[in-house]
Every structure is written in structure tokens, then in C-alpha cells.
Amino acid sequence: MEQTKKRAIWWRVLCIILAVIIFAAGCIVVAFAWVWSDEISTVSSFTKLRERNDANEEGSVYSMNVKGGFYFDKFLEQGGASDDGELINFITDNITRGLIKIEIKKTDIGCSSFMAKAENGDILFARNYDFDKTNVCLTMTDPGEGRYKSFSTVDLNYVGMDTEKDVDGLMNKITCLASPYAPLDGINEMGVSCGIYMSYQGANTVETNQQSAAKANITSTTMLRMVLDYAKDVDEAVSLIKDYNLHDSANTSFHYMIADASGRSAILEWVPAEGVTDSEDNDGAARTLNVIYNTDPMYDEALSGSQFRYQAITNFIVTPGYYEGEQEDEMKGLDRYDYINGQLSATGGIVKDEQAAMDILAAVGRRTWKPGDGITVHSAVYNLTKKTVTWVANENYDDPSAVWTYDLATGELVSLASKA
């Protein structure tokens, strides 16, 4: 009898201990879910849209709906970042909670873009991203709290994903939470689009590395994120950017193009201060921002008789006088630039529709323009009037399964194959 009582007591004690353990574990799970709720939702949305095709140098295509503000307001409030290392530390501390270390890899971006007007009056911003085989992620954000929702394309190589493998496993997907910090082109709900393009400045690539003590700091792709999140038009974008020291990322020099639904566009270039050469500014500290608007007088002669003030960009610096004394063969992308401008000049800057804009991109795609010298990873035509996107993977312009449309108003990402 006594032994039975002891067993009953020990059983009750054991049940209490188990209950405490289960309760504690439940609290931990609830706390984890509460702290990581946005990240859990974002990772859960990570979806493969298209399988890789190694024979054609194609990586996989993914999509991700980012929930919450991904701490970008905090990033700007604490002064941004003056190099990739600081950016990596911020992302690691705030998004992956110190669990995963990301890396930002060196890149060699080709690319072409232009702004034109469709026959129906819509303003179009078109972009090719030229690189090598890589995985990409169509990244949708809706941070709220005074920030605009957007669609952007992210090269996952830029956040450390292996270009030769799919993005598999939880840890890799968590690493992709850094994607909002690495857009290469995109559009926001106000009809502002922007893109980033390698500019090959200096004999050994001089990266912009501004050092004004009066300004906060920002890196290449986070500058594009700031534009997408906060700018309602080109002028507001330029005004925001002027408040920051730009520090180019990935050991590469870049320039940028921004356009809005009014038909205004601008190319932003950080070039040596007046009287200073690339060789004299070998650390990029003396770079100053030059903004070339599509309304600037430098285009007057070229656009004479045009119905629309179109603008184009590839990889060489368009700032007048930059290449004085330099060889023309250093003006990388000049051939594509001349072709695009020739096509737009012939029509007065007017194209029939998004498909006509995509046809121009197809003509300067790497596999067509210069076979064997890289690939065009994606082509996108952003309709700044309707706030829609037409996006094509790896020059598969005639394959409906490689073409997606996105509408910022509805949030619908649709494959053309599903419409066939």
C-alpha cells in the first residue's frame, strides 16, 4: 500500500515536471513565432517559378513576398552603411538574428535600359540585366508606414547563393531574407522605376567612395531600395540621394537610371570633381554626383523632332567630357547604346506597346548581340503609368512559361503560360 502511494506521488511529480517542460517549450515556440513572424511568413512565401537549365546557362527563378519593413527604416536611421561589410553586419544582426552570415560577391554587370512612350501614352522603362548564369528572385515588398510597395529583381548570387545550385534548405532560404537590400531594378506603386549598371570607371575600376562627414552613407543596391521605398518621382529620388555618401558595392563602379510616370528620367553618375582625373582619384573619395535629365540641353540636338524625350543607358559614362583623351574602346556598351537610340530616334521615342519595347531589349540581349560573351539573365518592361511589369527569364521571349506579369495594384504575379 505504501509503495503504491509513493508511485502515485512520483507519477504526479513527473506529470507536473512534464507539464512545466511542455509549457516552457510552448512559450519558447510562441516567443520565437512572435519575434520571427515576418521572417517566417516571408520564407514561407519563397517559391520556385522556373527550373534551371544548365545547358542554356539558366539558373532558377524564384519569387518572394516580403512581409513587414525588413528593418530598412532602422538601417537608414542608424546611418546606413559605408561598405559591404557594414551592410552585411546590419543584415546579419537584424534580419538573420546573428544566425547566418551572408556575403556580397563581386559582379560584372553589362545591362541596357531605356525609357520610351507607348502609342497609348503609357510611359515605359525597359531593362536588360546582363551577367552570367545565376538564380534570381522576383521580390515583392509592402512595408507600409509611409513607404511604397514595390516589385524588384534580385540576383541571388549577390546575397551569396551558389550560381550552380538551386536555393534549397531552410538556411539558404533564410539567407534570401536579405534580398530586399539587393535590388538591381524595380518599380514602386507611384510609378518610379530604377536600375543599376556597371560603369567601368578608371583603368582598374574606381569605386565611388564619398567621404562627406555631413552625410549619412549608403551602398549601391540599398540606394535603389531607398528610391523604391520613399520616392514618388524622379526629383524626390534625386533629392533623397543627394543626402548620402555613395559607396559602390561588390568592388565595382556603377551608374544609375531613374524614371517616373510623368515621363521624366535621369541618369546619375558619380564622376571625378572638376579638374580631377580617374587616376588622381584612385580611391573614389573625390567623386561628385552628376545628374543628367532627359530634359537637359545636351539631348536637344539628338532629340530634335522627337515626340518624346526618351533616354537610354548602357555601361559607359554619358557625362560630357569624361572620356576626353581616352580611347573609344573604353566606352563599353557604346554599340548597344547607339542601337537603342537609333531605334527610338526612328520613331520619335514612341514604341507601339510593351512588346515593342521588349523587342528592342531582345535585339541587344547578349545571346543575340554578342553570342558567347555572357547572357541576359532577365528582361523587364515596367509600365510606369499602369504600374505593371512584364518580366522575361534568360531571353526566352517566345516561351510563355518564362514570362510573368505583375500588377502592383492587385499584387498578382501571373505566368503567361497560365493564360495560354
Side-chain angles (χ1 to χ4, degrees):
M1 186 69 176
E2 185 67 25
Q3 188 174 6
T4 301
K5 287 182 179 180
K6 288 182 178 180
R7 287 177 180 173
I9 292 172
W10 278 110
W11 176 250
R12 283 196 295 271
V13 170
L14 180 61
C15 288
I16 292 171
I17 291 172
L18 287 174
V20 169
I21 292 173
I22 292 171
F23 178 76
C27 289
I28 292 171
V29 170
V30 170
F32 180 86
W34 181 77
V35 171
W36 283 73
S37 60
D38 287 346
E39 288 81 3
I40 291 170
S41 176
T42 301
V43 169
S44 297
S45 76
F46 193 83
T47 304
K48 180 185 283 188
L49 299 178
R50 183 174 175 84
E51 296 287 347
R52 66 194 303 107
N53 179 359
D54 293 322
N56 197 39
E57 293 296 301
E58 299 182 30
S60 297
V61 179
Y62 300 89
S63 69
M64 183 167 68
N65 289 287
V66 180
K67 185 175 181 182
F70 48 92
Y71 307 96
F72 192 71
D73 49 358
K74 180 181 178 181
F75 171 74
L76 295 180
E77 288 167 3
Q78 57 96 50
S82 61
D83 56 41
D84 289 339
E86 288 185 8
L87 174 59
I88 288 169
N89 289 337
F90 178 85
I91 292 172
T92 302
D93 291 345
N94 290 275
I95 294 180
T96 68
R97 303 298 199 281
L99 297 179
I100 298 175
K101 190 81 169 180
I102 71 163
E103 61 178 314
I104 294 178
K105 296 183 178 180
K106 179 177 173 61
T107 188
D108 189 12
I109 300 172
C111 310
S112 307
S113 271
F114 63 88
M115 184 186 66
K117 180 185 280 189
E119 288 181 353
N120 67 359
D122 289 354
I123 306 299
L124 307 178
F125 179 79
R127 192 268 167 85
N128 272 351
Y129 172 52
D130 302 333
F131 185 47
D132 296 312
K133 180 175 66 177
T134 189
N135 300 309
V136 296
C137 183
L138 310 186
T139 304
M140 282 71 73
T141 67
D142 186 6
E145 298 185 0
R147 293 159 60 189
Y148 302 122
K149 59 183 173 182
S150 69
F151 169 104
S152 62
T153 310
V154 176
D155 177 351
L156 294 177
N157 167 70
Y158 208 68
V159 297
M161 293 295 98
D162 191 331
T163 61
E164 297 297 328
K165 298 178 181 178
D166 283 349
V167 181
D168 291 324
L170 180 60
M171 292 298 101
N172 280 335
K173 292 179 181 179
I174 291 175
T175 302
C176 290
L177 289 170
S179 294
Y181 285 78
L184 297 175
D185 55 75
I187 181 175
N188 71 17
E189 63 181 300
M190 301 304 291
V192 174
S193 248
C194 50
I196 183 171
Y197 317 84
M198 193 169 177
S199 57
Y200 298 93
Q201 295 181 58
N204 299 305
T205 304
V206 179
E207 306 157 44
T208 299
N209 189 29
Q210 294 180 303
Q211 300 292 331
S212 172
K215 295 182 178 182
N217 299 296
I218 203 159
T219 59
S220 300
T221 58
T222 55
M223 187 184 76
L224 261 69
R225 171 51 58 195
M226 179 175 69
V227 169
L228 291 173
D229 278 21
Y230 294 99
K232 68 177 183 297
D233 55 33
V234 166
D235 290 335
E236 190 165 276
V238 172
S239 179
L240 284 168
I241 290 167
K242 285 181 176 178
D243 288 336
Y244 287 84
N245 291 315
L246 175 64
H247 302 272
D248 279 334
S249 301
N251 301 318
T252 304
S253 61
F254 299 104
H255 58 169
Y256 310 80
M257 185 171 172
I258 304 171
D260 66 32
S262 75
R264 187 163 171 78
S265 67
I267 293 171
L268 282 67
E269 298 181 333
W270 281 256
V271 293
E274 187 174 353
V276 179
T277 66
D278 271 332
S279 59
E280 292 170 325
D281 179 29
N282 54 21
D283 64 355
R287 300 277 145 164
T288 59
L289 172 60
N290 185 36
V291 183
I292 305 103
Y293 295 97
N294 63 325
T295 52
D296 282 357
M298 67 174 281
Y299 291 114
D300 286 350
E301 184 176 351
L303 298 180
S304 177
S306 293
Q307 302 171 55
F308 181 71
R309 303 283 297 196
Y310 59 88
Q311 192 174 38
I313 186 172
T314 53
N315 302 109
F316 70 95
I317 296 294
V318 301
T319 296
Y322 178 81
Y323 292 102
E324 286 184 3
E326 305 281 353
Q327 297 297 316
E328 188 174 286
D329 60 8
E330 293 183 11
M331 301 172 69
K332 298 180 185 295
L334 179 60
D335 52 351
R336 285 176 281 120
Y337 182 83
D338 286 343
Y339 176 84
I340 292 169
N341 278 294
Q343 294 296 301
L344 296 177
S345 175
T347 61
I350 307 297
V351 296
K352 182 179 180 181
D353 51 22
E354 284 98 328
Q355 183 58 54
M358 192 68 78
D359 290 343
I360 296 175
L361 293 178
V364 295
R366 300 307 292 169
R367 293 179 177 90
T368 300
W369 189 258
K370 194 173 287 188
D373 185 18
I375 64 172
T376 295
V377 176
H378 77 267
S379 303
V381 175
Y382 297 102
N383 187 315
L384 309 189
T385 304
K386 292 187 171 66
K387 288 78 174 177
T388 58
V389 184
T390 302
W391 194 97
V392 179
N394 284 282
E395 302 176 65
N396 291 292
Y397 303 103
D398 298 322
D399 179 359
S401 70
V403 183
W404 286 266
T405 61
Y406 183 73
D407 188 326
L408 273 94
T410 64
E412 292 183 341
L413 178 67
V414 180
S415 167
L416 285 194
S418 67
K419 298 181 179 179

